[in-house]
Amino acid sequence: MKIAVFGGTRGVGAQVVEQAVKRGHSCRVLARNPESVPDLPEVVAIKGDVLDPDAVSRVLEGCEAVVISLGPTRKSPPSVCSEGTRLIIEGMQRQGIQRVVAVSSMGVGESAQQVPLFFKIVSAIFLRGVMKDKEAQERILKDSPLDWTIVRPGGLFDGPPTGNYQAGVDVDTIAARISRADVASFVLIQLDDETYLRQAPHVT
């Protein structure tokens, strides 16, 4: 499978690229700095910004599925996740790409009750803008005609993939820590699995 990856230079997105190649896929990755993308024959880095429709279209060329793992940076506008996702969806529709898996967060939308009180306080004080942008991003995906899945991970940390995590759409599971590598593994599984088609499973 040829996968377009947005947010593929760090965090969960970088793990998606690394693991996708190991599974025999190829990736096209949008990057402001292409040198930050692994120099592999199966990976093509396209220089640009997710808020540039032309750059988004170039990344999508020839792809069969899309992974969105966007997050804010110091220089990005507060709506980078939602606005970037809107442009990606528009580009997908123009090119006839149907499958998209996006990484959001536990605590967004109806999963708000699944996060500990401490996280709720931190979000309200420090992450209000980020969570608002993620909520807007999810609404854009849910309103689209695409085959979307929104993945909501618990607290992220760096570590190897273990396969030791739980996923589902119930509202009783409380968020716990999970490695970015395990989230990436779950994301890649969703690309050709319809279990959570047009749903927003948590993974923790």
Side-chain angles (χ1 to χ4, degrees):
M1 185 183 295
K2 184 179 288 186
I3 307 166
V5 183
F6 296 89
T9 60
R10 61 192 180 105
V12 173
Q15 282 289 324
V16 166
V17 174
E18 179 181 328
Q19 293 185 35
V21 170
K22 290 180 180 178
R23 297 183 187 202
H25 303 302
S26 61
C27 296
R28 292 174 65 83
V29 182
L30 180 64
R32 294 189 187 91
N33 178 16
E35 286 73 29
S36 63
V37 179
D39 185 16
L40 299 170
E42 300 87 354
V43 179
V44 176
I46 292 89
K47 183 178 177 62
D49 188 282
V50 73
L51 300 181
D52 177 358
D54 291 334
V56 169
S57 293
R58 289 196 299 274
V59 177
L60 293 170
E61 287 177 3
C63 290
E64 301 156 82
V66 174
V67 171
I68 302 174
S69 185
L70 298 174
T73 65
R74 293 179 182 177
K75 297 182 179 180
S76 64
S79 60
V80 64
C81 294
S82 54
E83 182 61 17
T85 295
R86 183 183 66 80
L87 293 174
I88 293 166
I89 288 173
E90 291 175 355
M92 290 177 65
Q93 291 178 281
R94 285 193 298 270
Q95 299 194 33
I97 306 168
Q98 192 66 18
R99 189 69 172 117
V100 56
V101 179
V103 180
S104 182
S105 174
M106 289 185 78
V108 177
E110 68 276 9
S111 70
Q113 67 189 58
Q114 296 178 259
V115 296
L117 178 60
F118 173 77
F119 182 81
K120 293 178 182 177
I121 295 172
V122 170
S123 295
I125 298 174
F126 300 107
L127 301 174
R128 184 179 300 174
V130 174
M131 300 302 278
K132 182 179 178 180
D133 189 29
K134 285 291 185 182
E135 288 172 0
Q137 177 189 33
E138 288 198 7
R139 285 196 300 272
I140 290 168
L141 283 158
K142 291 176 180 179
D143 289 342
S144 78
L146 302 178
D147 292 338
W148 55 266
T149 296
I150 296 168
V151 176
R152 293 171 173 163
L156 297 170
F157 68 93
D158 290 325
T162 66
N164 184 24
Y165 58 82
Q166 56 181 319
V169 292
D170 65 273
V171 294
D172 298 321
T173 300
I174 301 301
R177 283 161 50 84
I178 182 171
S179 73
R180 291 177 173 85
D182 274 332
V183 177
S185 177
F186 182 76
V187 165
L188 287 168
I189 290 170
Q190 306 317 303
L191 291 177
D192 53 11
D193 188 323
E194 296 187 354
T195 301
Y196 297 112
L197 188 63
R198 297 192 179 91
Q199 296 185 72
H202 59 260
V203 56
T204 191

